[in-house]
Amino acid sequence: MDKNDFYDNVFLSRGEEIYTNKYIASLRDDVVNRNNYIIPNEGHQEMFLTTKAQIAIYSGVRGAGKTSAMLMSVYPYTDKEFFSGVILRNEKNDSAGAGGIADESKVYLKQFGIYKASFMNMNWSFLSGGTLKFEYYSDAYKDFVKRFQGKELAFIGVDEITQIPFKYFCYLFANNRNAYGYRNILRGTCNPNGDSWVYDFLKGEYRDVNGNIRPKYIDERGAPVQENNGKILYFFKYGDRPDECFWGATKEDVYMQGKREMDMLFNSDPNYQKYIHHPKNLSLSFTLISGVVSDNKAMMSNGGEYVAKMGMLSRDDLNNNALGLWTRASDSESLVSSKDMDSFFNNPEIQSSDFRCITADMSGSGRGDAAVLFYWEGFHLVDCEFLQVGAETLKRACDRMMEKYNVQRDHFCYDATSIGSTYEEYFNGSVKFIAGLPAFDKKTIYLAGRKQDVSNYRNVRGQVFDELATRIRSHGYSIDKELLYKSFGGKMLIDHFREEYTVIARTESNQATFQAMEKKEMKRKIGHSPNFIDCWTIREYLNLYYENNKKNIRREGAYLL
């Protein structure tokens, strides 16, 4: 075959061997030999690989080629001698194993270097001298910062970017730099997720070149704004939340909105003017590319069988993974919504009382199920412990927390429903929560001359779940912000809450009395016991216990006659 048959004549005349679109299209259509080539899918995958945006997220349905697009994004750096880059997943093991992105990388990068893998280290050493490492971000924020502090990374990829906390994502920008003139980019991939910070970052409006207000990348229905698919917009972040950004079609538009904040940063160092030239250049470029499975000819083979199988997904999964909609998970069963939880995460510290207490969801042997301890000041959550230990060690841990915060035994409340009942003798004088006891609102009435007990709840467990949901919805709880991002059992506390909050629900029943979701249904719904939510509900029990026992709670250090 002559070179002119597959190289572009114009580039060839200049000594550059660039394939023609026609030749690439013929390779994509070659069903027999297609798997012998690595070729980006025509359309959105090509768009992701060629965008000039500093930050680009490739979102879309399953089968749109997001993982392969992430790996192909590394190609421009494989011949760079001093290149350092990372691709991050939530847990270390998420990248490893069959089908993980590290495993998939062997297909895309094997010709450029050597893959080295151990439990603690997965990386590519390219023949040029550069390196690409597979990293994680599930550790506590301070540990995450310590691991990345001082690193210079020209390429940062975040697979499933909706899972990384916004605070962690922002810190990565301090590392997206190099001293060798390589292009610095940050790339993310994900399925749409309306419960994530990415949704909050991408929804809303921006100001176009004519000053008109237009939707950014996601409309009010959660659907991608097609006219902005792959379009570069500019932003400047002025706050700590993902929605605290100025957006515009140009850097000038952003500067018009954020002049005060951008001037403040620009003028903080007199040398910035030599390099940045104007405050408008503090804006960053961004694009969202929403892929579709029809771009992927391999997935569309067999008469669209893959698309048909996606029709078996649940309603929420169908919206996110098949229809590409940024919708929030269904809250039809839950008594609180994801928006309520977002408010709890961001509520200012609530100084509702000086009542200090500890609540405990107990465990037994330490194998499997874990114990969770919460320390509260009023309804502000200050500290947490997550313990997979035996009974004796757990007793000592409870005592240490009480001693640490000067909490008296009668302000320590633990779940004594099943396993917790074994601790009754040791924690004598503490408050016991027993789920099956009658609710505090139980009243005795006479109906047709017969004595009858009535309550709005099947038991006290139902009452504490209802009280918890009511207080969350009314913004009655707050939490220490550092605690929120601290890791417990390999997962940050905020992720435990996001995973478990859906079990704050009542059973589907025609009964007049309120009944909380059964524990076995909770386990089925989230895959394990909701230890953190259970520990939270005990705070409501303690509140009801003292209200109904009318026990005086004296403020320590106060003089009362």
Side-chain angles (χ1 to χ4, degrees), residues 3-4 6-21:
K3 283 187 175 183
N4 292 319
F6 49 87
Y7 288 137
D8 183 90
N9 290 327
V10 174
F11 284 102
L12 196 60
S13 67
R14 299 191 324 212
E16 300 179 63
E17 296 181 340
I18 306 296
Y19 292 123
T20 64
N21 282 326

Side-chain angles (χ1 to χ4, degrees), residues 39-50 58 64-66 68-69 72 289 295:
I39 306 171
N41 295 328
E42 185 178 15
H44 300 98
Q45 203 176 67
E46 284 183 329
M47 193 184 299
F48 180 70
L49 294 171
T50 57
Y58 186 30
K66 297 183 291 295
S68 57
M72 286 188 282
I289 294 158
D295 284 348

